[in-house]
Amino acid sequence: MSIVSNLELIRSTLPAGVGLVCVSKFHPAAMIREAYMAGERLFGESRVQELCAKHEELGDLTDLRWHFIGHLQTNKVKYIVPFVDLIHGVDSPRLLREINKEAVKVGRVVNCLLQVHVAREETKFGFSPDELLAYMEQGEWRACSGVRICGVMGMASNTDDVSCVRDDFRRIQEVYLQLKHLYFSDASSFCELSMGMSGDYQYALECGASLVRVGSSIFGHRVY
Ligand SMILES: *Cc1c(COP(=O)(O)O)cnc(C)c1O
């Protein structure tokens, strides 16, 4: 299968209005260019150095938008803040503060999603639903003028048990709807629910995902 035909297949399953983040990590810039030529504009990377190198290499594609989807270390925030379009995985108050600080420095407002952790795996990053609600209640985020909180990101458990995957996505959606209701009912920019990858995005769509992050179904398997 080619990138173009993979994209056609995936596109045919996405409702209008759902954004496709083409997860290009570990794949060369030439493959990103191919997807771009096929009409894609959102690309997701999970390592800062790799993202910066590709941003430079593909600098001629001026309307290509870079999403950072991995765990972001605070000491690397400054490298991506000048150009990143959306940071999906804001998983701590400290990271949000750091993004804000660097964004203010360069005069940007950086779009961010708060990562909520519901999956079984203990190693995954993110706020638990309770931690996230407590953080929002506490209110420090309101003073962060360099950050625009646009929604919530999450991952389902890594399991073949579809009912477990659906439960996880439902819980992430509930957190999103709660935050929308409590803090962002007037904010049209709070509209993104990022969940679903190659193996489970169809279930995420059932639970209201507005952005899906698809890598291997587009670009093939990654060689780490
Ligand atoms: C790698 C990655 C994806 C894409 O995974 P695929 O299974 O290749 O579609 C999605 N989200 C995050 C956070 C990732 O790190």
Side-chain angles (χ1 to χ4, degrees):
M1 292 291 275
S2 70
I3 290 174
V4 171
S5 56
N6 290 344
L7 280 168
E8 261 171 31
L9 202 64
I10 292 162
R11 280 278 172 204
S12 72
T13 66
L14 294 183
V18 171
L20 174 63
V21 182
C22 302
V23 176
S24 47
K25 64 189 186 195
F26 296 90
H27 293 295
M31 289 172 81
I32 298 175
R33 214 174 265 285
E34 209 176 319
Y36 178 93
M37 294 310 283
E40 299 305 326
R41 290 298 178 268
L42 304 184
F43 291 87
E45 292 282 338
S46 60
R47 295 186 306 179
V48 167
Q49 209 178 358
E50 184 176 351
L51 170 55
C52 291
K54 287 174 175 171
H55 171 244
E56 187 137 324
E57 191 169 352
L58 297 167
D60 56 313
L61 309 179
T62 51
D63 61 348
L64 186 159
R65 288 148 62 194
W66 292 108
H67 286 196
F68 191 83
I69 61 167
H71 172 64
L72 181 56
Q73 291 170 274
T74 49
N75 62 341
K76 296 189 176 163
V77 165
K78 59 177 176 286
Y79 300 114
I80 67 169
V81 153
F83 68 87
V84 73
D85 184 61
L86 179 64
I87 298 175
H88 286 235
V90 177
D91 57 7
S92 72
R94 181 164 165 253
L95 179 57
L96 193 101
R97 278 198 290 274
E98 184 65 20
I99 295 167
N100 181 60
K101 190 183 96 191
E102 294 299 327
V104 168
K105 257 191 217 168
V106 297
R108 287 195 83 205
V109 179
V110 173
N111 297 320
C112 290
L113 305 180
L114 299 166
Q115 184 171 358
V116 57
H117 170 76
V118 300
R120 289 175 185 172
E121 292 87 17
E122 284 178 8
T123 54
K124 294 269 170 68
F125 295 100
F127 294 88
S128 73
D130 286 346
E131 283 167 354
L132 185 50
L133 284 164
Y135 173 67
M136 295 304 290
E137 169 71 26
Q138 174 263 347
E140 180 198 301
W141 57 276
R142 294 179 191 273
C144 293
S145 59
V147 166
R148 182 182 297 113
I149 298 177
C150 297
V152 166
M153 176 265 201
M155 279 182 253
S157 301
N158 185 13
T159 170
D160 292 334
D161 180 351
V162 169
S163 70
C164 174
V165 169
R166 283 200 170 101
D167 281 352
D168 287 348
F169 285 143
R170 279 278 168 242
R171 289 176 64 201
I172 299 164
Q173 182 191 31
E174 268 169 33
V175 174
Y176 166 77
L177 292 173
Q178 252 175 316
L179 294 194
K180 175 99 194 150
H181 173 70
L182 288 170
Y183 302 104
F184 299 100
S185 53
D186 293 334
S188 58
S189 55
F190 189 93
C191 62
E192 300 294 6
L193 180 51
S194 166
M195 53 186 197
M197 331 203 311
S198 291
D200 59 15
Y201 77 85
Q202 69 269 38
Y203 310 115
L205 292 172
E206 290 171 9
C207 300
S210 70
L211 283 174
V212 294
R213 310 177 307 268
V214 180
S216 40
S217 294
I218 299 172
F219 297 109
H221 289 294
R222 292 177 286 273
V223 182
Y224 293 100

